[in-house]
């Protein structure tokens, strides 16, 4: 018998290759989650509002009550976990879009790692882990505005909701109490991220536990009650402290998050019950739909004793009940369905791994029997082509849309104050005292511009500029003052009251000097009451 080869001289093996199964996820995550993360200006609604909350929290030192424009913020009534993370990021990295979005990007990376590691552990080894991670990173419902690409609540919520589901599955498989404690911690963090939305996976999880006949065992386990305390005590303590700090907060929470969103169409976002079903049969998710159906069919065919089948039933029950909850709510927004995409990625990873193994075994049998391979392809090449057929079209479509989305969101005049103010600060003799004036023909943002408020805070805190923000009624300026405006509406609103002289300009923004106050026509006489 020949002597064994030294360890360094051993031939390459497939098992050694699978030790590095996670490497392809790195460029995919970098391209999907970090590419041009800070390039686009802050978006006008939730993202910029949170950024202002974080900046004001950092400036005031009040870490309990979120503020906007110097007042307690009762429009955004969510708990402050994400705002705390953003404030810490700004304190470490400075005032920038990158710093505001970094907590979301890190949460997205953690979610991809969690999904891939769980799939590897429970759903089919390294192949399932790799495919599940790639499926999530090529999902338009995840790599999109208001989820993984902007500084909004959804990605952090997805991380903790998914952790609840995976911890519940691990407990069903092992009965180890540590998974109950992890689930309880995930519930607490989800509620501290987005209030009641952090509980939306629990009904489906409990329904599946009951269907499997494990509810009595769950209730008899002491760790269950410790997990319940862990889940409920931190949010309850925070809500109590917040109400004590500024009474009226709980009433605002009820009106905004429960009675408002569930029972009425908040801010004209009402839609019919089937509204969330359309992305799964439209172009938004069309490239993945056949693979989801194939994966679900393959997993349903597996014996019940296998973990992949058990996970599929848990994911289907939890996802179905979650979809029913958000569909029954009157207020509907596209990103409310985002928690479904990690579940779909896990189903895809598990199902495609089963399918590829079946294809691989079929081809090896053909080789062993001396029969010709399909189209003369070798087994490894054939499997690689099948994986490419599933993923490459989705990645290409995703990144084409990312480029289009970047251009669309950047080329809006209301959002260009930040890039312009940074450009102005780099010019020789840059002004340090000026007014920033905003106006818009779009009624919802004619007197509201959260990105502008954040960029004004940035100028005050980072460059120590003296900055005043004015909205459409731009009265009260004196000759000699410098005014920054962006967009045609702001230019026209300023020139209605003043004669101005251009100082410098870039794109749709300009710095103007007020030369004189224009006389205004007298107001029309008030109408006489009827009967005069």
């Amino acid at each position: 018998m020949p002597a064994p080869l030294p360890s360094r001289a051993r031939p390459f093996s497939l098992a050694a290759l699978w030790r590095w199964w996670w490497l392809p996820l790195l460029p995919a995550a970098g391209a999907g989650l970090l590419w041009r993360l800070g390039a686009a200006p802050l978006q006008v609604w939730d993202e910029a509002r949170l950024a202002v909350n974080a900046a004001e929290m950092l400036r005031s030192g009040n870490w309990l009550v979120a503020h906007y424009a110097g007042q307690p913020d009762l429009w955004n009534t969510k708990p402050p976990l994400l705002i705390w993370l953003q404030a810490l990021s700004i304190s470490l990295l400075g005032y920038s879009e990158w710093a505001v979005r970094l907590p979301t990007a890190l949460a997205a990376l953690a979610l991809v790692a969690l999904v891939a590691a769980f799939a590897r552990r429970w759903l089919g080894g390294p192949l399932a882990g790799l495919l599940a991670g790639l499926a999530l990173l090529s999902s338009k419902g995840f790599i999109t505005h208001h989820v993984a690409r902007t500084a909004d609540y959804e990605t952090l919520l997805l991380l903790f909701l998914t952790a609840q589901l995976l911890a519940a599955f691990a407990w069903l498989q092992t009965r180890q109490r540590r998974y109950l404690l992890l689930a309880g911690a995930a519930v607490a963090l989800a509620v501290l991220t987005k209030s009641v939305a952090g509980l939306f996976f629990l009904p489906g999880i409990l329904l599946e536990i009951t269907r499997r006949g494990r509810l009595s065992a769950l209730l008899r386990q002491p760790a269950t009650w410790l997990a319940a305390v862990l889940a409920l005590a931190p949010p309850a303590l925070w809500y109590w402290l917040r109400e004590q700090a500024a009474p009226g907060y709980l009433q605002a929470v009820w009106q905004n998050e429960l009675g408002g969103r569930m029972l009425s169409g908040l801010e004209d976002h009402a839609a019919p019950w089937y509204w969330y079903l359309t992305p799964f049969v439209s172009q938004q998710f069309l490239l993945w739909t056949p693979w989801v159906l194939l994966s679900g069919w393959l997993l349903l065919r597996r014996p019940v004793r296998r973990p992949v089948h058990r996970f599929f039933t848990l994911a289907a029950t939890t996802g179905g009940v979650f979809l029913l909850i958000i569909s029954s709510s009157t207020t509907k927004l596209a990103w409310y369905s985002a928690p479904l995409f990690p579940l779909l990625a896990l189903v895809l990873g598990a199902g495609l791994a089963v399918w590829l193994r079946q294809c691989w075994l079929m081809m090896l049998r053909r080789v062993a029997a001396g029969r010709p391979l399909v189209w003369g392809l070798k087994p490894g090449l054939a499997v690689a082509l099948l994986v490419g057929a599933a993923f490459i079209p989705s990645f290409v479509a995703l990144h084409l849309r990312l480029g289009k989305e970047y251009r669309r969101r950047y080329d809006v005049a209301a959002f260009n104050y930040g890039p312009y103010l940074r450009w102005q600060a780099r010019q020789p003799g840059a002004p340090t005292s000026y007014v920033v004036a905003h106006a818009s023909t779009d009624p919802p943002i004619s007197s509201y511009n959260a990105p502008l408020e954040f960029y004004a805070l940035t100028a005050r805190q980072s460059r120590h500029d003296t900055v005043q923000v004015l909205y459409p009624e731009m009265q009260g300026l004196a000759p000699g003052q410098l005014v920054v405006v962006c967009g045609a509406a702001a230019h026209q609103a300023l020139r209605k009251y003043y004669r101005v002289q251009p100082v410098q300009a870039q794109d749709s923004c300009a710095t103007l000097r007020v030369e004189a106050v224009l006389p205004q026509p007298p107001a029309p006489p008030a109408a006489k009451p009827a009967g005069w």
Side-chain angles (χ1 to χ4, degrees), residues 434-435 437 470 474-485 494-495 497-503 511-518:
Y434 49 89
V435 175
L470 286 183
M474 302 178 183
Q475 302 185 35
L477 297 179
Q481 283 190 280
L482 294 177
V483 185
V484 173
V485 291
L494 185 67
R495 293 176 188 275
Y497 297 102
Y498 308 99
R499 186 173 71 248
V500 295
Q501 178 67 31
V503 176
T511 302
L512 310 172
R513 178 175 285 106
V514 175
E515 291 191 333
V517 180
L518 299 178

Side-chain angles (χ1 to χ4, degrees), residues 123-124 127-136 138 287-288 290-299 308 344-360 383 386-391 394:
L123 305 182
L127 180 60
L130 174 61
L131 296 178
L134 290 176
L136 185 58
S138 60
L287 294 173
W288 269 127
W291 304 106
V292 171
L293 297 176
L294 173 64
S295 298
W297 176 70
L298 288 169
L299 295 181
V308 288
L344 290 171
L346 286 162
V347 170
L348 281 164
L352 289 178
V354 169
W355 181 54
L356 291 173
R357 286 195 185 93
Q358 291 177 350
C359 294
W360 179 270
V383 170
L386 291 174
V387 173
F391 288 97
S394 292

